[in-house]
Every structure is written in C-alpha cells, then in structure tokens.
Amino acid sequence: FRSHEFLIRKKRYANPDILEEQFDEDKCEDSTRTLMSEVLPATNRKLTFQYEYDFGDCWRHEIVFEGRRPIDPKMKYPTCVDGACACPPEDCGGPLGYLDLLDEYNEGAADPDGMDLDGLGEHFDPLAFSPPAATKAMQKRTRRTT
C-alpha cells in the first residue's frame, strides 16, 4: 500500500499503519475505519475534495462528488461509471516525470535516459480508459480486503 490521504471538509483521512509516526490522531481520521457514505453528502449536493497518493511522487487529485445514484439491487458494487485516461505507471517520478515519460513515449524513444519504456506495454495508450476494467479492478480489490 502506498501513502495516501484524503482531505474532505478540512479533515484529513489516512491509514495509520502506512503513515505510522506521521499519523496524528488529533489531526487525522483513520481512513480504514471510515466509510465514504459517512463523509459524502446524503443528498445530491456536489462536494469537491482532495486525494493525495504516494507522498514521494505527490500525485494530487481533485475529486468531485456529483451525487448518489439510486441503488440497483441487480448491480454489483463498487462500479465505475466514467473516467478518462490510463493510469500512470508506478514510480514514474510523479506528474512531471509522467509528462517526461509521455513526451519520450510519443517521440518513440526506445530507452531514454535509461528509463524502461517496455514497462508501459506494447499497446500502451495514455488516453485509454475502460470503466468495465476499472470496475473489475475495484471489485477485485474490495473482495481481497473485506
């Protein structure tokens, strides 16, 4: 697991096992014991919050919660309904490193500065995104941790 935290309504949520000494119970809520349903609006009121992933690479995301859909008893959850672009590879140097990697990838460089582009895969498409594939990955992850 990578270091991460959410900042929702001026409250920090993080995993104390990952942050260890940086986790301050007075200033941070335990994300492993917090359900999204506890922090997101029960109405369809929009809420914007921050998510930071991998403190070393500083991936900062702005997430916009746009509302809840009615629960469909026939649907399996969690479910990804939309998204855009492929995930950057792990440990690529954060947002700036990923931009450099994309530049090198788009130029067709085989091994720029010793960086292994083979790790991106032969058919890597930085613009590709598949909600069904994202759903499958989330559901696999959810089964493993529950």
Side-chain angles (χ1 to χ4, degrees), residues 107-133:
E107 291 170 6
D111 190 17
D113 302 322
M115 188 177 295
D116 179 19
L117 290 183
D118 292 334
L120 291 178
E122 185 178 321
H123 302 289
F124 178 76
D125 179 357
L127 300 178
F129 183 80
S130 167

mmCIF file of all heavy atoms in Angstrom, residues 107-133:
data_model
loop_
_atom_site.group_PDB
_atom_site.id
_atom_site.type_symbol
_atom_site.label_atom_id
_atom_site.label_comp_id
_atom_site.label_asym_id
_atom_site.label_seq_id
_atom_site.Cartn_x
_atom_site.Cartn_y
_atom_site.Cartn_z
ATOM 1 N N GLU A 107 7.587 10.367 -28.752
ATOM 2 C CA GLU A 107 8.684 10.526 -29.709
ATOM 3 C C GLU A 107 9.205 9.178 -30.193
ATOM 4 O O GLU A 107 10.040 9.119 -31.069
ATOM 5 C CB GLU A 107 9.823 11.325 -29.066
ATOM 6 C CG GLU A 107 9.459 12.776 -28.815
ATOM 7 C CD GLU A 107 10.499 13.496 -27.963
ATOM 8 O OE1 GLU A 107 11.559 12.915 -27.659
ATOM 9 O OE2 GLU A 107 10.223 14.647 -27.590
ATOM 10 N N GLY A 108 8.718 8.081 -29.570
ATOM 11 C CA GLY A 108 9.136 6.746 -29.987
ATOM 12 C C GLY A 108 10.495 6.341 -29.472
ATOM 13 O O GLY A 108 11.129 5.444 -30.011
ATOM 14 N N ALA A 109 10.964 6.986 -28.406
ATOM 15 C CA ALA A 109 12.275 6.646 -27.854
ATOM 16 C C ALA A 109 12.246 5.237 -27.265
ATOM 17 O O ALA A 109 11.297 4.851 -26.603
ATOM 18 C CB ALA A 109 12.659 7.659 -26.776
ATOM 19 N N ALA A 110 13.294 4.481 -27.526
ATOM 20 C CA ALA A 110 13.343 3.095 -27.050
ATOM 21 C C ALA A 110 13.747 3.020 -25.581
ATOM 22 O O ALA A 110 13.183 2.265 -24.820
ATOM 23 C CB ALA A 110 14.317 2.295 -27.898
ATOM 24 N N ASP A 111 14.731 3.792 -25.187
ATOM 25 C CA ASP A 111 15.227 3.707 -23.812
ATOM 26 C C ASP A 111 15.822 5.059 -23.404
ATOM 27 O O ASP A 111 17.023 5.177 -23.199
ATOM 28 C CB ASP A 111 16.273 2.596 -23.704
ATOM 29 C CG ASP A 111 16.648 2.309 -22.254
ATOM 30 O OD1 ASP A 111 15.899 2.717 -21.357
ATOM 31 O OD2 ASP A 111 17.698 1.692 -22.035
ATOM 32 N N PRO A 112 15.015 6.103 -23.290
ATOM 33 C CA PRO A 112 15.545 7.423 -22.970
ATOM 34 C C PRO A 112 16.064 7.504 -21.545
ATOM 35 O O PRO A 112 15.397 7.087 -20.611
ATOM 36 C CB PRO A 112 14.337 8.344 -23.160
ATOM 37 C CG PRO A 112 13.174 7.453 -22.921
ATOM 38 C CD PRO A 112 13.581 6.084 -23.388
ATOM 39 N N ASP A 113 17.279 7.998 -21.419
ATOM 40 C CA ASP A 113 17.877 8.210 -20.103
ATOM 41 C C ASP A 113 17.801 6.968 -19.218
ATOM 42 O O ASP A 113 17.614 7.058 -18.017
ATOM 43 C CB ASP A 113 17.211 9.383 -19.380
ATOM 44 C CG ASP A 113 17.299 10.666 -20.180
ATOM 45 O OD1 ASP A 113 18.339 10.907 -20.810
ATOM 46 O OD2 ASP A 113 16.317 11.413 -20.167
ATOM 47 N N GLY A 114 17.878 5.814 -19.806
ATOM 48 C CA GLY A 114 17.849 4.577 -19.035
ATOM 49 C C GLY A 114 16.462 4.200 -18.540
ATOM 50 O O GLY A 114 16.315 3.245 -17.807
ATOM 51 N N MET A 115 15.423 4.930 -18.919
ATOM 52 C CA MET A 115 14.068 4.628 -18.465
ATOM 53 C C MET A 115 13.508 3.497 -19.308
ATOM 54 O O MET A 115 13.590 3.515 -20.528
ATOM 55 C CB MET A 115 13.171 5.861 -18.580
ATOM 56 C CG MET A 115 11.810 5.661 -17.951
ATOM 57 S SD MET A 115 10.832 7.161 -18.030
ATOM 58 C CE MET A 115 11.778 8.242 -16.996
ATOM 59 N N ASP A 116 12.959 2.489 -18.659
ATOM 60 C CA ASP A 116 12.439 1.327 -19.357
ATOM 61 C C ASP A 116 11.022 1.590 -19.826
ATOM 62 O O ASP A 116 10.074 1.483 -19.068
ATOM 63 C CB ASP A 116 12.488 0.112 -18.436
ATOM 64 C CG ASP A 116 11.933 -1.136 -19.083
ATOM 65 O OD1 ASP A 116 11.841 -1.171 -20.322
ATOM 66 O OD2 ASP A 116 11.608 -2.081 -18.347
ATOM 67 N N LEU A 117 10.868 1.945 -21.099
ATOM 68 C CA LEU A 117 9.531 2.171 -21.643
ATOM 69 C C LEU A 117 8.802 0.861 -21.890
ATOM 70 O O LEU A 117 7.599 0.852 -22.074
ATOM 71 C CB LEU A 117 9.605 2.978 -22.940
ATOM 72 C CG LEU A 117 10.013 4.440 -22.770
ATOM 73 C CD1 LEU A 117 9.988 5.144 -24.116
ATOM 74 C CD2 LEU A 117 9.125 5.159 -21.799
ATOM 75 N N ASP A 118 9.543 -0.248 -21.878
ATOM 76 C CA ASP A 118 8.886 -1.538 -22.063
ATOM 77 C C ASP A 118 7.865 -1.790 -20.967
ATOM 78 O O ASP A 118 6.879 -2.480 -21.171
ATOM 79 C CB ASP A 118 9.904 -2.681 -22.079
ATOM 80 C CG ASP A 118 10.779 -2.639 -23.310
ATOM 81 O OD1 ASP A 118 10.331 -2.090 -24.332
ATOM 82 O OD2 ASP A 118 11.913 -3.140 -23.239
ATOM 83 N N GLY A 119 8.069 -1.207 -19.800
ATOM 84 C CA GLY A 119 7.137 -1.369 -18.691
ATOM 85 C C GLY A 119 5.767 -0.791 -18.996
ATOM 86 O O GLY A 119 4.781 -1.130 -18.344
ATOM 87 N N LEU A 120 5.687 0.097 -19.980
ATOM 88 C CA LEU A 120 4.397 0.670 -20.345
ATOM 89 C C LEU A 120 3.561 -0.308 -21.160
ATOM 90 O O LEU A 120 2.354 -0.158 -21.261
ATOM 91 C CB LEU A 120 4.598 1.952 -21.156
ATOM 92 C CG LEU A 120 5.168 3.132 -20.405
ATOM 93 C CD1 LEU A 120 5.363 4.306 -21.351
ATOM 94 C CD2 LEU A 120 4.286 3.530 -19.246
ATOM 95 N N GLY A 121 4.206 -1.278 -21.720
ATOM 96 C CA GLY A 121 3.478 -2.254 -22.524
ATOM 97 C C GLY A 121 3.468 -1.864 -23.983
ATOM 98 O O GLY A 121 3.505 -0.689 -24.339
ATOM 99 N N GLU A 122 3.408 -2.855 -24.818
ATOM 100 C CA GLU A 122 3.462 -2.647 -26.264
ATOM 101 C C GLU A 122 2.283 -1.822 -26.770
ATOM 102 O O GLU A 122 2.396 -1.051 -27.703
ATOM 103 C CB GLU A 122 3.489 -4.007 -26.947
ATOM 104 C CG GLU A 122 3.672 -3.944 -28.433
ATOM 105 C CD GLU A 122 3.735 -5.342 -29.024
ATOM 106 O OE1 GLU A 122 4.348 -6.222 -28.394
ATOM 107 O OE2 GLU A 122 3.176 -5.524 -30.110
ATOM 108 N N HIS A 123 1.127 -1.986 -26.141
ATOM 109 C CA HIS A 123 -0.077 -1.321 -26.618
ATOM 110 C C HIS A 123 -0.538 -0.225 -25.662
ATOM 111 O O HIS A 123 -1.726 0.041 -25.563
ATOM 112 C CB HIS A 123 -1.193 -2.348 -26.827
ATOM 113 C CG HIS A 123 -0.814 -3.428 -27.783
ATOM 114 N ND1 HIS A 123 -0.672 -3.202 -29.139
ATOM 115 C CD2 HIS A 123 -0.513 -4.726 -27.584
ATOM 116 C CE1 HIS A 123 -0.318 -4.330 -29.729
ATOM 117 N NE2 HIS A 123 -0.206 -5.257 -28.806
ATOM 118 N N PHE A 124 0.384 0.402 -24.970
ATOM 119 C CA PHE A 124 0.027 1.456 -24.025
ATOM 120 C C PHE A 124 -0.590 2.640 -24.768
ATOM 121 O O PHE A 124 -0.031 3.135 -25.738
ATOM 122 C CB PHE A 124 1.259 1.919 -23.247
ATOM 123 C CG PHE A 124 0.975 3.046 -22.291
ATOM 124 C CD1 PHE A 124 0.321 2.796 -21.103
ATOM 125 C CD2 PHE A 124 1.364 4.344 -22.574
ATOM 126 C CE1 PHE A 124 0.057 3.825 -20.210
ATOM 127 C CE2 PHE A 124 1.102 5.379 -21.689
ATOM 128 C CZ PHE A 124 0.453 5.108 -20.504
ATOM 129 N N ASP A 125 -1.743 3.061 -24.321
ATOM 130 C CA ASP A 125 -2.407 4.232 -24.880
ATOM 131 C C ASP A 125 -2.736 5.156 -23.715
ATOM 132 O O ASP A 125 -3.626 4.862 -22.916
ATOM 133 C CB ASP A 125 -3.683 3.838 -25.615
ATOM 134 C CG ASP A 125 -4.430 5.037 -26.187
ATOM 135 O OD1 ASP A 125 -3.996 6.193 -25.978
ATOM 136 O OD2 ASP A 125 -5.464 4.809 -26.839
ATOM 137 N N PRO A 126 -2.028 6.274 -23.560
ATOM 138 C CA PRO A 126 -2.243 7.147 -22.402
ATOM 139 C C PRO A 126 -3.644 7.738 -22.341
ATOM 140 O O PRO A 126 -4.077 8.190 -21.291
ATOM 141 C CB PRO A 126 -1.186 8.233 -22.557
ATOM 142 C CG PRO A 126 -0.675 8.128 -23.936
ATOM 143 C CD PRO A 126 -0.973 6.767 -24.440
ATOM 144 N N LEU A 127 -4.372 7.716 -23.447
ATOM 145 C CA LEU A 127 -5.735 8.266 -23.450
ATOM 146 C C LEU A 127 -6.806 7.210 -23.200
ATOM 147 O O LEU A 127 -7.981 7.538 -23.056
ATOM 148 C CB LEU A 127 -6.010 8.982 -24.774
ATOM 149 C CG LEU A 127 -5.071 10.149 -25.085
ATOM 150 C CD1 LEU A 127 -5.396 10.742 -26.441
ATOM 151 C CD2 LEU A 127 -5.137 11.198 -23.997
ATOM 152 N N ALA A 128 -6.398 5.952 -23.152
ATOM 153 C CA ALA A 128 -7.372 4.868 -22.994
ATOM 154 C C ALA A 128 -7.911 4.807 -21.568
ATOM 155 O O ALA A 128 -7.189 5.053 -20.602
ATOM 156 C CB ALA A 128 -6.723 3.541 -23.351
ATOM 157 N N PHE A 129 -9.193 4.500 -21.459
ATOM 158 C CA PHE A 129 -9.811 4.257 -20.158
ATOM 159 C C PHE A 129 -11.004 3.345 -20.363
ATOM 160 O O PHE A 129 -11.778 3.536 -21.306
ATOM 161 C CB PHE A 129 -10.274 5.554 -19.480
ATOM 162 C CG PHE A 129 -10.853 5.300 -18.117
ATOM 163 C CD1 PHE A 129 -10.028 5.106 -17.033
ATOM 164 C CD2 PHE A 129 -12.225 5.208 -17.932
ATOM 165 C CE1 PHE A 129 -10.556 4.843 -15.776
ATOM 166 C CE2 PHE A 129 -12.757 4.954 -16.682
ATOM 167 C CZ PHE A 129 -11.920 4.765 -15.595
ATOM 168 N N SER A 130 -11.142 2.375 -19.501
ATOM 169 C CA SER A 130 -12.236 1.422 -19.599
ATOM 170 C C SER A 130 -12.981 1.345 -18.272
ATOM 171 O O SER A 130 -12.455 0.779 -17.305
ATOM 172 C CB SER A 130 -11.696 0.039 -19.965
ATOM 173 O OG SER A 130 -12.687 -0.947 -19.777
ATOM 174 N N PRO A 131 -14.185 1.915 -18.191
ATOM 175 C CA PRO A 131 -14.969 1.765 -16.955
ATOM 176 C C PRO A 131 -15.168 0.302 -16.540
ATOM 177 O O PRO A 131 -15.028 -0.014 -15.356
ATOM 178 C CB PRO A 131 -16.286 2.467 -17.272
ATOM 179 C CG PRO A 131 -15.895 3.525 -18.263
ATOM 180 C CD PRO A 131 -14.853 2.836 -19.125
ATOM 181 N N PRO A 132 -15.446 -0.635 -17.474
ATOM 182 C CA PRO A 132 -15.574 -2.035 -17.041
ATOM 183 C C PRO A 132 -14.280 -2.591 -16.428
ATOM 184 O O PRO A 132 -14.318 -3.322 -15.439
ATOM 185 C CB PRO A 132 -15.947 -2.777 -18.325
ATOM 186 C CG PRO A 132 -16.598 -1.748 -19.186
ATOM 187 C CD PRO A 132 -15.853 -0.472 -18.882
ATOM 188 N N ALA A 133 -13.131 -2.241 -17.000
ATOM 189 C CA ALA A 133 -11.858 -2.713 -16.443
ATOM 190 C C ALA A 133 -11.612 -2.089 -15.067
ATOM 191 O O ALA A 133 -11.134 -2.762 -14.146
ATOM 192 C CB ALA A 133 -10.712 -2.398 -17.395
#
